[in-house]
Amino acid sequence: MKLLRFGEPGAEKPGLLDESGTIRDLSGVVADIGGAVLSDAGLDAIRRVDPAALPAVDPGVRLGPCVAGTGKFICIGLNYADHAAESGLDVPPEPVIFMKATSAICGPDDPIIIPRGSEKTDWEVELAVIIGTRAKYVSEADAMSYVAGYAVTNDVSERAFQIERAGQWTKGKSCDNYGQLGPWLVTRDAVADPQNLSMWLTVNGETMQNGSTCTMVYGVAHVVSYLSQFMSLHPGDVISTGTPPGVGLGMNPQRYLKAGDVVELGIEGLGQQRQDVISDPEG
């Protein structure tokens, strides 16, 4: 099942994508794609609805982030060995955790906004895991039962803010529109193996990243279990699981985004995104 949210920013409605590719309005069934709706019981209730009985939505409508009410946007750093190598860093002995501000979250095709003072805005295609049920101290064997589904995310990063300024990575990861999420939340049952999905990203039509989730150092089940030892995970929380090689930071010479660029990215079975790169209109 592919769930989504559509409409203007801040006023999105819940929807689903039916088998024909038509967006259907779920607002008469659920209030939003978040909270208890993400539990197994909540998702089963949506499955019992006949999509053909739901109103069709204009295919040109804006898609918002595919989940509502995200309390935490947790990122796993250096989770692909070849990406760690291109960054000049060792594979960490445990998952590296950092946070992205939830205010960075936006729709899958909303623009990448280069913030004031940025010269090193970079791209990162990543598999996002959406939590469906509160998870605390869960085992790796049970971890997947707490997952509602998966989505594409672009973990946009400002490398100077992230690496060259004092402090933690958060400020290089949290600028407005640095967290495109969607187009869909693909439910757990519809993804046979989250550790075997091809993923790609292009800039102006040129392939930059071409990888697979099979090369993750720490897989989804391990990451969910690991995080739950340190914090409760709640419905709607997003875990961004790392990126394969091909980011601008790792190139020689390094390459970064500029206004006028177009970024496209996708993950097998989870859809794709397209973003225009613009300067901050408030900058």
Side-chain angles (χ1 to χ4, degrees), residues 202-206 257-258 260-264 274-277:
T202 67
V203 178
N204 301 329
E206 180 183 354
L257 296 172
K258 61 185 185 302
D261 287 341
V262 176
V263 178
E264 296 179 271
R274 181 193 183 281
Q275 294 126 25
D276 294 319
V277 182

Side-chain angles (χ1 to χ4, degrees), residues 138-158:
V138 303
S139 69
E140 189 167 339
D142 293 336
M144 300 304 281
S145 65
Y146 295 85
V147 172
Y150 307 93
V152 182
T153 191
N154 192 355
D155 177 23
V156 185
S157 309
E158 212 303 333

